[in-house]
Amino acid sequence: MSSQFDVIIIGGGPGGYNAAIRAGQLGLKTAIIEKRETKTLGGTCLNVGCIPSKAMLHASELYETATTRFAALGIKTGAVSFDLPQMLKQKDEAVDGLTKGVAYLMKKNKVEVFLGAGEITAPGKVRVTAEDGKSQDLETKNIIIATGSEVTPLKGVEIDEKQIVSSTGALSLPSVPKHMIVIGGGVIGLELGSVWRRLGAKVTVVEFLDRILPTMDGEVSKTFLRILKKQGMEFKLSSKVTGVEKLKTKLKVAIEPAAGGAGETIEADVVLLAIGRRPYTAGLGLEKAGVALDQRGFILTDHFRTNVPGIWAVGDCIHGPMLAHKAEDDGTACAELIAGKAGHVNYDAVPSVVYTEPEVASVGKTEEDLKKAGVEYKVGKFPFSANSRAKTNHETEGFVKILADAKTDKLLGCHIIGVGAGELIAEAVSVLEFGGASEDIARTCHAHPTRSEAVRQAAMGVEGWTMQA
Ligand code: FAD
Ligand code: NAI
């Protein structure tokens, strides 16, 4: 293996492996370092994040559909049951296939892979230490830090990945808990809470704030809460967990009002801690290299450049949404900048999707953002209950909401709750990225009968000419 490179990337997640692919494509001599025990690339996303969670969401959603909706559609089955070991196996197979795919892409783009922990010993110098303790020194013109993030801990709640789990443990529970308490009503809590509720667990979500998904549009968040409650998920809003006590087989969870006051203790079999993630940069040698961090530990960057020449950073360990596609775009743009090309990521046009049933998808500004910024805006809304395809499929919950500038009609945001929202949002992302107007969506022909027509009807609503409701 070589020891001299143009670019060395530390971290093999979506930020790192996409930077590696693009750097390889652009003819840069590239290496990527990954320290994961499984010796696989793909980072959090492929190994313990996006992919396994979606595999479990998909299978559990089909199970729930079969048990609750087939009869009304005229489909008869015998008693439907599930095989949890097989469900977990198909999840592991999805992870295995995709991580191997990334390894193939490294080969294809002539990227050298080093398995071990990367450490910056000086600008331009990286040491890789393998599991067996053997180390190797590499030299490079550029270093990209793509080390991602880790679970934010909570005092009094010690993760053991068996009874008290992070998302990683929650993706591999060997049996369905009777009662799962989820700390945090954010994306992980609601996605993985949905998985185990569908499979039979009682799920109680304890959320510090008075709403779930705090960064999403308020109206969407309210509707989503109502739908999740109807599905059987329970919520304790404006509440905090102050400690979890381990008994022989059970857990005792102490919960208090967020504002203080008399608390209560609830029993659970499993507690899932999901109160956010924080940048992960431990053991990288950043202090010695002089790389500046902010107070919360994020690496400070300007167009992915840190304060130290030749050291760059991308993905979850820098500012911006902690999402795989954002990390991917960061990595691509960073490699392009290193190769002397233009590279930029517009964080205002990064979509965000919650893969529950129904899905929640969002891009751009929320009404709350616009009010806070004093921007005058118009709203167009369309319910799926008036969309022909949604009605035909008996999937009428939710709506599309479009926000546009009151004077110029420029699209400012789009928020969707409904079946397939994660796919529907792509149209709004494109229009937003092109700086288009809500009228551009309203005047574009949309196939009938599709749910995408609801996006068009909502866009028509901005100027008050929604035709089908
Ligand atoms: P990571 O994917 O975290 O990769 C960093 C890699 O660096 C890791 O593999 C780590 O082992 C390695 N590393 C760290 N330090 C070193 C070192 N010193 N030497 C060598 N290697 C090192 N995002 C979405 O967009 N959609 C989703 O559906 C989604 N679902 C998620 C579900 C869950 C349960 C979780 C936890 C996250 C989910 N995310 C999702 C978020 C997504 O996983 C992250 O935003 C994304 O993985 C960030 O990519 P990254 O490359 O910055 O970091
Ligand atoms: P999150 O930031 O989405 O939600 C955390 C929630 O916990 C918030 O609602 C917050 O108010 C609440 N909270 C904070 N402290 C609390 C406390 N002490 N007690 C009770 N509640 C508390 O974080 P989450 O769900 O852990 O996910 C981490 C990140 O992973 C997300 O920010 C997201 O970027 C990414 N992710 C993305 C997914 C997707 O795109 N579909 C899926 C899963 C994760």
Side-chain angles (χ1 to χ4, degrees):
M1 288 188 107
S2 337
S3 59
Q4 297 268 353
F5 294 91
D6 295 319
V7 189
I8 292 180
I9 298 151
I10 308 179
Y17 78 73
N18 283 293
I21 293 171
R22 193 69 186 117
Q25 281 180 344
L26 293 169
L28 299 168
K29 190 164 166 46
T30 306
I32 190 163
I33 305 173
E34 174 55 58
K35 71 169 184 180
R36 194 164 284 275
E37 282 171 0
T38 50
K39 303 192 181 347
T40 49
L41 295 172
T44 303
C45 174
L46 267 65
N47 291 283
V48 290
C50 326
I51 297 306
S53 60
K54 266 77 258 180
M56 290 303 283
L57 279 158
H58 179 64
S60 61
E61 185 180 331
L62 287 179
Y63 169 68
E64 187 164 67
T65 302
T67 48
T68 59
R69 294 191 44 221
F70 272 14
L73 297 171
I75 303 168
K76 283 190 172 180
T77 60
V80 177
S81 57
F82 63 87
D83 172 354
L84 186 57
Q86 174 57 27
M87 209 180 266
L88 295 170
K89 187 167 163 254
Q90 62 83 34
K91 173 217 38 162
D92 293 339
E93 283 165 359
V95 170
D96 187 51
L98 287 166
T99 52
K100 281 190 178 131
V102 176
Y104 159 77
L105 290 172
M106 294 303 105
K107 262 198 194 126
K108 184 179 167 200
N109 291 288
K110 302 190 174 52
V111 176
E112 290 189 40
V113 179
F114 291 84
L115 295 174
E119 183 194 347
I120 303 169
T121 49
K125 294 193 194 304
V126 177
R127 178 166 299 155
V128 191
T129 307
E131 221 175 33
D132 62 8
K134 283 194 187 132
S135 66
Q136 195 176 345
D137 289 316
L138 310 175
E139 289 193 6
T140 181
K141 292 182 190 137
N142 296 279
I143 297 168
I144 303 179
I145 303 168
T147 47
S149 60
E150 62 178 354
V151 178
T152 303
L154 181 63
K155 211 171 141 234
V157 184
E158 294 303 318
I159 292 174
D160 60 19
E161 296 298 13
K162 286 193 168 71
Q163 284 176 289
I164 305 177
V165 296
S166 71
S167 50
T168 301
L171 285 165
S172 293
L173 295 178
S175 60
V176 179
K178 277 204 190 76
H179 187 196
M180 171 184 257
I181 291 188
V182 176
I183 312 177
V187 200
I188 291 181
L190 300 179
E191 285 190 356
L192 295 181
S194 290
V195 165
W196 294 106
R197 182 202 55 73
R198 290 167 187 167
L199 299 180
K202 172 182 166 172
V203 173
T204 307
V205 177
V206 182
E207 165 59 49
F208 189 80
L209 299 175
D210 60 358
R211 51 174 290 190
I212 56 169
L213 294 181
T215 54
M216 287 271 184
D217 187 89
E219 211 175 348
V220 170
S221 161
K222 230 187 223 166
T223 305
F224 193 37
L225 179 66
R226 184 180 49 73
I227 294 173
L228 290 172
K229 278 185 177 169
K230 208 168 90 188
Q231 291 175 354
M233 205 178 266
E234 296 185 13
F235 290 88
K236 286 189 180 294
L237 301 181
S238 306
S239 301
K240 61 181 177 194
V241 168
T242 50
V244 180
E245 189 190 340
K246 274 190 184 179
L247 304 179
K248 245 189 197 151
T249 54
K250 294 261 169 204
L251 298 168
K252 263 190 164 176
V253 183
I255 302 173
E256 273 181 19
E264 58 180 325
T265 304
I266 303 182
E267 278 197 356
D269 311 281
V270 170
V271 167
L272 163 59
L273 179 65
I275 59 165
R277 293 179 64 84
R278 62 182 189 187
Y280 178 72
T281 55
L284 265 179
L286 293 189
E287 211 171 298
K288 213 165 73 189
V291 174
L293 308 179
D294 77 0
Q295 278 178 334
R296 293 188 301 151
F298 287 96
I299 299 174
L300 288 167
T301 55
D302 178 11
H303 282 80
F304 319 110
R305 285 180 177 87
T306 70
N307 60 314
V308 180
I311 303 185
W312 309 69
V314 299
D316 277 11
C317 64
I318 68 167
H319 288 170
M322 285 180 153
L323 294 171
H325 41 284
K326 177 268 188 186
E328 170 185 349
D329 284 14
D330 280 2
T332 308
C334 182
E336 291 181 342
L337 286 167
I338 290 173
K341 293 170 137 341
H344 175 72
V345 183
N346 175 11
Y347 290 163
D348 285 335
V350 174
S352 163
V353 179
V354 187
Y355 296 87
T356 41
E357 199 287 300
E359 289 181 347
V360 178
S362 153
V363 68
K365 304 291 183 211
T366 63
E367 272 205 79
E368 290 76 12
D369 292 334
L370 296 174
K371 277 186 187 137
K372 209 166 141 196
V375 176
E376 280 184 46
Y377 63 93
K378 285 187 176 176
V379 186
K381 253 181 82 176
F382 191 81
F384 282 106
S385 57
N387 170 266
S388 58
R389 187 61 181 277
K391 276 180 94 128
T392 310
N393 291 6
H394 311 284
E395 292 167 337
T396 52
E397 270 175 329
F399 57 84
V400 180
K401 178 170 172 179
I402 300 265
L403 302 170
D405 187 282
K407 286 196 198 83
T408 64
D409 191 36
K410 189 173 179 207
L411 182 68
L412 298 175
C414 176
H415 308 280
I416 308 176
I417 174 162
V419 168
E423 305 289 343
L424 294 177
I425 200 72
E427 175 179 13
V429 178
S430 290
V431 174
L432 201 75
E433 187 64 56
F434 277 106
S438 82
E439 191 179 359
D440 291 322
I441 299 176
R443 301 259 174 216
T444 298
C445 187
H446 288 65
H448 174 77
T450 62
R451 293 187 182 89
S452 71
E453 290 174 283
V455 181
R456 181 188 199 180
Q457 293 289 328
M460 288 171 162
V462 171
E463 285 303 325
W465 63 291
T466 293
M467 292 169 66
Q468 292 169 3

